[in-house]
Amino acid sequence: VQLVESGGGLVQPGGSLRLSCAASGFTFSSYGMGWARQVPGKGLEWVSGIYSLGSTFYADSVKGRFTISRDNAKNTVYLLMNSLKPEDTAVYYCFHGPSPGGVPPGYDSWGQGTRVTVSS
C-alpha cells in the first residue's frame, strides 16, 4: 500500500486548500478512504471519511467547511478545505479501510502527510 498526500501549504484564515491523496497497492474502488490530521505533540484526529459508494462523514469541527470526494478512475481522494481557521493547522494524512468513519485501530500504512498552516 502506498499513499501520497499533496496540496498542503500556508494559507491565511478564511482561505481554501485542496488536498489530494494518490493511492496504490490495493483495489481503491473497493475501500473507504479517509483523512486524519495531527498537530505536533498531539494525537491523531479523524477528520473525514468516504465509503466506496460515496457516503461521506465529517468531524463536527470541520462540518460545513470541508468536503471529501474521490475519483476511482484516478485512485485519488481529495479534501477541499474552505473557511480555514488557525486551529486547522496540522499535518494531514489519508488512510484506507472498510469503515472510514474513524481511523482503523492499528493502521500502519500512513504516507508522509501534507502540512497545512493557517496563519496571517
Side-chain angles (χ1 to χ4, degrees):
V1 172
Q2 185 173 24
L3 301 169
V4 179
E5 301 91 345
S6 62
L10 173 64
V11 62
Q12 292 187 342
S16 298
L17 283 174
R18 190 179 80 154
L19 307 183
S20 300
C21 170
S24 60
F26 61 100
T27 305
F28 182 82
S29 60
S30 297
Y31 280 82
M33 297 295 298
W35 289 92
R37 65 189 181 185
Q38 187 166 32
V39 176
K42 296 190 177 181
L44 200 63
E45 177 190 12
W46 174 80
V47 173
S48 181
I50 182 168
Y51 277 91
S52 58
L53 295 181
S55 297
T56 58
F57 302 86
Y58 300 93
D60 287 344
S61 58
V62 307
K63 199 172 295 182
R65 299 187 298 120
F66 290 10
T67 303
I68 190 171
S69 61
R70 63 189 296 159
D71 185 336
N72 289 340
K74 296 183 177 180
N75 286 2
T76 300
V77 63
Y78 304 97
L79 186 69
L80 175 61
M81 306 186 296
N82 294 323
S83 302
L84 282 161
K85 305 175 180 180
E87 51 263 44
D88 295 317
T89 296
V91 179
Y92 285 72
Y93 301 89
C94 66
F95 63 90
H96 78 301
S99 299
V103 177
Y107 190 79
D108 63 358
S109 296
W110 300 106
Q112 84 290 345
T114 186
R115 183 176 301 275
V116 172
T117 303
V118 185
S119 175
S120 55

